[in-house]
Amino acid sequence: MGLDLNISDKVFILAISAVVMLYLLYQVIHLIRGYALRLVSGISMFPTLKDGQVVLEKKVKRGEWIFRGDIIVAKLPQNDYLVIKRVIDIVSIEGKLYYWLEGDNKDHSVDSRTYGHVKREYIEGKVIKTWKKQWN
């Protein structure tokens, strides 16, 4: 007594299997290599990044350099909210690095002009790859 599936059922099962495999591959890469996919939410980085766009973030390790112009992912200490912003300036105060972050769309960005400099410890990663496809 074999399982008799029509073509559309086989295609559906194959598609689900492919999605599951891609998800597992993503999790392995994320855990081993320190990468994460992020979904851009909002227009603060427009036109560089668009609402619904997917970016690849590389987690920054201790001692790894962050430069002016880098697009980073940071967790704001005020509310644990993740933001994607550009590094505009870096200052050292008593041996600790602080970053001034701004969105590229300055008229529609809540950034360091509102919450001030961000300590290095709150920067989680750098955006290293973007895809043009939007997922809204």
Side-chain angles (χ1 to χ4, degrees):
M1 296 181 88
L3 196 57
D4 190 24
L5 300 173
N6 62 37
I7 291 287
S8 62
D9 290 339
K10 290 178 183 176
V11 169
F12 177 75
I13 291 170
L14 184 60
I16 294 297
S17 299
V19 168
V20 169
M21 292 302 293
L22 285 172
Y23 176 75
L24 292 174
L25 179 61
Y26 163 73
Q27 291 299 328
V28 167
I29 290 171
H30 175 70
L31 293 173
I32 293 174
R33 298 284 186 186
Y35 294 88
L37 293 175
R38 298 284 184 197
L39 183 65
V40 176
S41 178
I43 60 170
S44 71
M45 285 300 293
F46 184 83
T48 307
L49 301 174
K50 296 166 184 64
D51 184 42
Q53 191 171 359
V54 176
V55 298
L56 181 64
E57 168 198 356
K58 180 183 182 291
K59 302 293 184 180
V60 288
K61 297 178 180 140
R62 183 180 209 141
E64 190 171 343
W65 287 95
I66 298 169
F67 299 99
R68 284 185 189 96
D70 284 346
I71 298 174
I72 57 87
V73 177
K75 184 177 282 189
L76 298 180
Q78 300 91 331
N79 56 15
D80 284 342
Y81 187 73
L82 285 176
V83 296
I84 299 176
K85 303 291 180 192
R86 186 175 303 278
V87 176
I88 301 300
D89 195 24
I90 306 165
V91 296
S92 178
I93 302 170
E94 297 179 5
K96 293 193 177 219
L97 293 175
Y98 293 82
Y99 297 82
W100 187 265
L101 310 176
E102 290 184 11
D104 289 353
N105 189 358
K106 296 193 185 338
D107 291 338
H108 299 281
S109 179
V110 176
D111 49 36
S112 286
R113 294 171 297 164
T114 302
Y115 47 74
H117 283 87
V118 175
K119 289 181 184 178
R120 168 64 177 85
E121 63 199 63
Y122 294 108
I123 295 180
E124 295 195 349
K126 291 182 188 181
V127 173
I128 60 167
K129 173 83 174 133
T130 63
W131 288 273
K132 291 183 181 177
K133 174 72 177 154
Q134 289 174 259
W135 298 96
N136 322 14

